[in-house]
Amino acid sequence: MIARTDDRQPPPVEADEADPLALERQLCFALAVASRLVIGTYKPILEPMGLTHPQYLVMLALWEQEPRALSEVARLVRLEPATLSPLVKRLEAAGFVTRERSSHDERQLALRLTPEGRRLRQQAERVPEQVVAALGVEVAELAHLHAELSSLIGRISPEASATPAA
């Protein structure tokens, strides 16, 4: 093995406000950590209901309105249909939803709640208050954060840029 003649290491970069690459200054880092922590808060709340967080999002969409086309649910929860399909199959196996061909368009798969899926909504009504309590953050602060994130999503999502100008 050949030894390096220059064993000097570059000086460590200090994470200060002048460093544009400081980890703590990165929006992506803050969002990723916050997302993992918040979604992790849901896990022990949803487990007794037999739901994962992505499944909970699908159920929320169906509790708002049903039947819904699989493609519409995918758009609402912002998942690709190919990602959503196995998740929906697990919800069907658990007895919460049914998948059937749409009577309006045979190419569309319609999702409907089962009676058990409708009953699950009663348990789910307690989820938001349990999450707020587990996070230990004021509701007003969470509402403000939600509004800010929703605004950001609206400005940067592909759908926003695809909207024709009036």
Side-chain angles (χ1 to χ4, degrees), residues 13-14 16 18 31-33 38-39 45 50 64 72 77 85 108 110 115-116 127 132 143 148 151 159 161:
V13 176
E14 297 204 14
D16 62 30
L31 287 171
V33 172
V38 170
I39 291 170
I45 296 167
E64 283 181 3
E72 180 184 6
V77 300
S85 288
Q108 289 286 329
E116 184 63 27
V127 170
V132 169
E148 290 292 321
S151 174
E159 297 87 39
S161 61

Side-chain angles (χ1 to χ4, degrees), residues 6-27:
D6 182 7
D7 286 337
R8 291 178 291 163
Q9 297 292 321
V13 176
E14 297 204 14
D16 62 30
E17 292 182 25
D19 182 5
L21 297 180
L23 179 63
E24 294 296 325
R25 292 189 64 207
Q26 305 307 307
L27 176 63

Side-chain angles (χ1 to χ4, degrees), residues 67 92 98-103 105 108-112:
E92 185 176 39
T98 61
R99 297 174 304 142
E100 50 196 55
R101 291 285 162 204
S102 169
S103 58
D105 183 351
Q108 289 286 329
L109 198 57
L111 303 179
R112 290 185 188 276

Side-chain angles (χ1 to χ4, degrees), residues 1-96:
M1 178 169 216
I2 301 173
R4 278 184 56 188
T5 56
D6 182 7
D7 286 337
R8 291 178 291 163
Q9 297 292 321
V13 176
E14 297 204 14
D16 62 30
E17 292 182 25
D19 182 5
L21 297 180
L23 179 63
E24 294 296 325
R25 292 189 64 207
Q26 305 307 307
L27 176 63
C28 61
F29 178 67
L31 287 171
V33 172
S35 177
R36 280 194 307 271
L37 292 171
V38 170
I39 291 170
T41 301
Y42 279 84
K43 186 176 180 176
I45 296 167
L46 296 175
E47 273 181 346
M49 298 170 59
L51 295 175
T52 63
H53 186 262
Q55 290 171 333
Y56 175 64
L57 298 178
V58 170
M59 295 300 289
L60 288 170
L62 292 174
W63 287 325
E64 283 181 3
Q65 176 187 327
E66 63 160 322
R68 285 195 192 250
L70 180 69
S71 58
E72 180 184 6
V73 173
R75 181 183 55 77
L76 288 169
V77 300
R78 299 191 184 233
L79 290 173
E80 293 296 320
T83 302
L84 188 59
S85 288
L87 188 151
V88 169
K89 285 180 182 177
R90 287 191 295 277
L91 285 171
E92 185 176 39
F96 297 139

Side-chain angles (χ1 to χ4, degrees), residues 98-143:
T98 61
R99 297 174 304 142
E100 50 196 55
R101 291 285 162 204
S102 169
S103 58
H104 303 303
D105 183 351
E106 283 289 317
R107 296 170 298 173
Q108 289 286 329
L109 198 57
L111 303 179
R112 290 185 188 276
L113 293 168
T114 64
E116 184 63 27
R118 284 187 196 91
R119 279 192 295 276
L120 191 61
R121 188 182 198 285
Q122 292 172 329
Q123 260 185 281
E125 288 175 352
R126 294 187 301 273
V127 170
E129 70 187 41
Q130 291 175 311
V131 170
V132 169
L135 291 174
V137 180
E138 294 294 321
V139 172
E141 187 178 346
L142 292 174

Side-chain angles (χ1 to χ4, degrees), residues 143-162:
H144 176 74
L145 177 60
H146 181 272
E148 290 292 321
L149 289 172
S150 294
S151 174
L152 178 63
I153 290 166
R155 286 181 289 180
I156 66 175
S157 69
E159 297 87 39
S161 61

